[in-house]
Amino acid sequence: NEDCLLWGKIYPSVIFEGKQSVFMVGQLRQEQFDNITFGDEGQGYQLMNVEEFLSSSQVVPQLQDRVRDYLEEVR
């Protein structure tokens, strides 16, 4: 839903050479979050605060860098 988007930026794709990907930051209401449906990727998710996300060894480093980019632009 576009009304929950706070920020977005285009980056080079981590997976596909020569392609681009869009990283977006949004704020969801609880009912929106409750209705998230994942595909069959077999991946999980976990809510954590930003500091924990940025220091976790379980997070994709490129995603940590993108969150840092967002924080630098909005601070």
Side-chain angles (χ1 to χ4, degrees), residues 2-38:
E2 290 182 17
D3 63 341
C4 64
L5 292 179
L6 302 175
W7 184 84
K9 187 172 179 179
I10 297 173
Y11 291 89
S13 173
V14 175
I15 301 170
F16 303 107
E17 188 172 339
K19 301 277 185 179
Q20 295 179 323
S21 63
V22 179
F23 183 79
M24 294 179 281
V25 175
Q27 186 169 18
L28 300 178
R29 295 184 314 274
Q30 185 63 48
E31 70 258 18
Q32 290 173 305
F33 178 79
D34 292 341
N35 289 321
I36 292 174
T37 303
F38 289 96

Side-chain angles (χ1 to χ4, degrees), residues 21-63:
S21 63
V22 179
F23 183 79
M24 294 179 281
V25 175
Q27 186 169 18
L28 300 178
R29 295 184 314 274
Q30 185 63 48
E31 70 258 18
Q32 290 173 305
F33 178 79
D34 292 341
N35 289 321
I36 292 174
T37 303
F38 289 96
D40 59 359
E41 300 93 3
Q43 299 177 1
Y45 71 98
Q46 174 184 340
L47 293 179
M48 59 179 67
N49 66 42
V50 173
E51 292 77 19
E52 184 181 0
F53 178 83
L54 293 176
S55 64
S56 173
S57 63
Q58 302 295 311
V59 175
V60 176
Q62 291 91 339
L63 297 181

